[in-house]
Amino acid sequence: MSRPERGGVVVVGGGVAGATAALAISRHGLPVTLVDEQPQAGGQIYRAPTPYARRHVPPNHEFSGGDRLRALLAASSVRTRFSTRVWGAWGASPGMELDLLGPDGIDRIGARALVVANGATERFLPFPGWTDPRVIGLAGASILMRNGGTLPGRRVVVAGAGPLLFSVAHQVMELGGRVVAVIDSGRRGDWLRLAATLAWDPARLRLAAQWMTRLRLAGIPIHHQARIAAVHPEEDGLSITISGTIAGTVAGTGRQGTPVRHYGADSVACGHGLKPATLLTRTLGARHRFDAAGGYWEPETDPSGRTSRTGLYATGDAAGIRGAAVARLRGLITGHAVALDQGAIAERDFASLTRRPRMLLRRQEHVSRRMLPLLNASASLSRAIADDAIVCRCERVEAAALRAAVAAGARDLNQLKAWTRCGMGPCQGRMCEDGARGLLAASCGLPPEEAGSFTPRMPFFPLPLAALTGTFAYSDIPLPKAAPL
Amino acid sequence: MTALQDWPDGSVDVAVIGGGVMGATTALFLARGGMRVALLDRQDLFRAASGVNAGTLTLHMTRAQLIPHAMRGREMWLASRDWLGADVGALAAPGLSLAFTEAEEDLLRARARIRRQAGAPIDIVPPSRAAAIEPGLNPSVRAAAYCALDGHIPAYRVGRAYAQALAQAGVMLFAHRAVEAIVPDGAAGGYAVHCAGHARPLAARRIVLAGGVWLEKMLGWFGHAIPIRCLVNQLAVTETMPRVMGSVVSIANGLLSLKQFANGSVLIGGGWQGEGNIHEGGTRVIPENLRGNLRLAQHVVPRLAQAQILRVWLGLESETPDAMPLIGALTARDDAFVIGCVHSGFTSGPYMGRLLAERILGGAPDLGAFDPRRFSPSPSLPEHTP
């Protein structure tokens, strides 16, 4: 590990927000490095499709938008480090340092300004059977289909919350698969209200109308205020039990609803909305707030993406879920703000460069915030997580064990973690934190934000020990002074 | 924040400040001895050193003078079901301390000799015997010190077992109470314990300070000026992996502790330092030290090259100027006590706590070597505030 280079601006995340920010920063003449774990830029929405998907997935604006972004990056002076993951972050002032694992092993990079644009993480609501390999996340299913041209199964149940439900259902149909049913935690009325709001955003309204019409014409059952109660493996697929009306089951008693229907399918695509990926901003000590509408923690940012920590920015969905269109505007404004803060442009330039983006952003934000309650429609369900549902799949911790720890006095997520190992596995709590928080909060009547978050730990993902140790001889190991006799 | 539960009416017999192994064990045996005990911690119980340490039960790395205490502590851990009411997962395992160079072999022999004199059954064995005990070892080992009486505990499991035992014994648990001052209470003859978030202080007839690295300031309340050094130890754990080792392994100079837990994860420690302080806790892993620690581990058990590191964290350890414990009375009135700074404190902890409880309950265990007055012989008690 040589001394890290110090000078430049670093952008983590090559999705639409990060790539746009990096491009803007480089246009103002600042050295900027873009780090992304994918082999190419594009993030989730503009992810580069495989050659197979290019032939089999109908052309769409996400392919073309991604291609345009990648071409702009290639033609720019942005230094890119793809297939590279950030496994540690240090906050020692001044500046910041990131530990990386890339194709050439580990490395460290210094940043005088750091833009965190690493997007969102999908939320899961545990139910018995959700750890079956044929149960896949909505986002994962979408990547598989859109960017790989591959169906998760011939017959798919689509379940959870948020607009991704209908996007995924539509993608299954486009690839010739069968959508068995759509199970939505949200209420039908919420969608209708959203449609009214979408009048502000005709492009998205058109897309949504197109998806819904197609589902209706195909006669696919759509259950609102419903959820998966359990998934059981069968000889030739999965048996899925659906539980009805959330309002009746959850609001009052905490008892589970009556199973109302069973479906058979090859796979379940299931996700309960998105949350910002906050590992980096939390590790680096930025202040965070709990967004009650979205049901998640997000870094506190000003309209340009500045966090509470000087030199640290969060933009795109990493600063609160607003979707791809907003991510581009946010990335652009943040890029200009970095240039302003670094002295590359004057306040007047910043104002004129961002006047139109800021105006567009205000309009779009209005629509996107209306979407948050739909993305968070499953929140109240966490109190109904069945005792035998595995919450932490890495450590196989069931809901009953968490409830027992709460009964023994655990009142925040870190105590729950220490007492049950929930969140101690390879995913570092990314998958189980929301379920555990909801369950803890419901069990002792706490608001979810008081249940807290798992303290971030390094490395951010399982790191090969050999990458850290490298080649060495015993005599290379610096041995500090021995312990006293 | 939810409102803090209020103090009990009247005064308690003892207020123990610090909910780690030392404080909690003292509190537990005091309560069982019939005293009314309150246990306070600045955060949740067992979240500082006691909950995050490497969980090694070892005589190789225990200071020679503390060997008899460590042996008793280890026995208590292995029998936790009997006195704590729950199995904390303590496992007896052979312990090996290794030498790879001539200088290390000399150190190893010297350390083994002095520990054997103190009662630890430690023998120097040839590499072939070490390899028979631990087949995964690097064959370049020159010599090994072997002790049959080592073992390990997954430290995270200890807190919950104590929480239940303490509650059962009637100890009043007060988490998230940052003690800001303790002053003599002239009228009642005891002490007033002032905490953030409480207008009224807790009244206690006796005090036990068990605050680990935070002891220096607390000792000041009783007129003792003893510098307490804060060590910031780095620890790393791997993903669960197939069996790579079955013993507890260290090296001659003590800078490695290595063991595989029942769930398959391998814990790598040894006191390599990170950054941190008593105000913010551990703040930063020092990557060069992490790499040194991991290289040492990989050198000792080469199959660890296939491991994935899952987590790295920091734990605070306290040390006095002579690296010996502080256990005993702080006042001439014999109503305030300290327990802490025990080297290999996790191993000896339960026994040390039991000894102090015995002392407070009127017994006369030999705590002479740990007397805090060796640093400040005649402390001047602060006047009680009017």
Side-chain angles (χ1 to χ4, degrees), chain A residues 1-2 4-6 9-13 33-35 81 84-92 95-101 106-111 113-116 279-281 283-284 312 458 460, chain B residues 284 287:
Chain A
M1 277 182 272
S2 52
E5 46 179 298
R6 283 229 161 260
V9 178
V10 176
V11 178
V12 176
T33 302
L34 179 68
V35 180
R81 299 185 66 159
T84 300
R85 302 181 77 181
V86 179
W87 61 267
W90 313 110
M96 285 151 276
E97 288 173 14
L98 298 179
D99 279 311
L100 309 176
L101 176 66
I106 65 165
D107 192 11
R108 194 187 293 173
I109 187 170
L114 176 65
V115 178
V116 176
L279 202 50
L280 263 176
T281 47
T283 302
L284 289 169
L312 179 63
M458 290 218 325
F460 298 150
Chain B
R284 180 177 180 263

Side-chain angles (χ1 to χ4, degrees), chain A residues 51-177:
Chain A
Y52 178 85
R54 289 232 189 247
R55 289 195 302 276
H56 290 87
V57 176
N60 56 71
H61 78 280
E62 285 155 4
F63 283 6
S64 53
D67 289 343
R68 199 159 51 242
L69 201 65
R70 287 181 282 275
L72 285 171
L73 270 177
S76 76
S77 63
V78 174
R79 187 166 170 235
T80 52
R81 299 185 66 159
F82 292 121
S83 305
T84 300
R85 302 181 77 181
V86 179
W87 61 267
W90 313 110
S93 318
M96 285 151 276
E97 288 173 14
L98 298 179
D99 279 311
L100 309 176
L101 176 66
D104 302 321
I106 65 165
D107 192 11
R108 194 187 293 173
I109 187 170
R112 65 177 151 164
L114 176 65
V115 178
V116 176
N118 55 359
T121 307
E122 188 159 36
R123 286 190 294 220
F124 296 93
L125 184 75
F127 48 79
W130 77 288
T131 53
D132 188 292
R134 289 162 290 190
V135 179
I136 182 175
L138 282 178
S142 181
I143 292 166
L144 193 65
M145 291 187 285
R146 177 62 56 85
N147 308 93
T150 306
L151 280 166
R154 296 298 306 169
R155 304 169 301 149
V156 185
V157 163
V158 179
L164 209 47
L165 274 178
F166 298 100
S167 167
V168 164
H170 180 249
Q171 288 171 47
V172 170
M173 295 172 74
E174 260 192 348
L175 281 181

Side-chain angles (χ1 to χ4, degrees), chain A residues 197-259:
Chain A
T197 312
L198 278 178
W200 289 84
D201 188 350
R204 273 203 270 188
L205 180 59
R206 205 157 41 240
L207 202 60
Q210 188 191 325
W211 292 344
M212 297 307 289
T213 311
R214 191 153 174 198
L215 288 171
R216 293 251 176 262
L217 286 176
I220 292 162
I222 302 176
H223 301 279
H224 296 287
Q225 289 178 275
R227 64 189 174 94
I228 295 182
V231 167
H232 297 289
E234 302 262 287
E235 212 165 288
D236 57 343
L238 297 169
S239 158
I240 298 125
T241 308
I242 309 300
S243 184
T245 54
I246 286 171
T249 47
V250 181
T253 60
R255 272 181 288 117
Q256 295 205 47
T258 348

Side-chain angles (χ1 to χ4, degrees), chain A residues 408 419, chain B residues 24-25 27-29 31-32 39 45-46 80-88 158-173:
Chain A
W419 283 3
Chain B
T25 314
L28 182 66
F29 285 100
R32 288 188 184 157
L39 177 60
L45 268 55
F46 283 81
S80 66
R81 203 185 283 281
D82 299 340
W83 62 274
L84 194 57
D87 179 8
V88 295
V158 169
R160 188 168 165 188
Y162 265 96
Q164 280 163 338
L166 290 164
Q168 220 156 42
V171 175
M172 294 167 266
L173 299 177

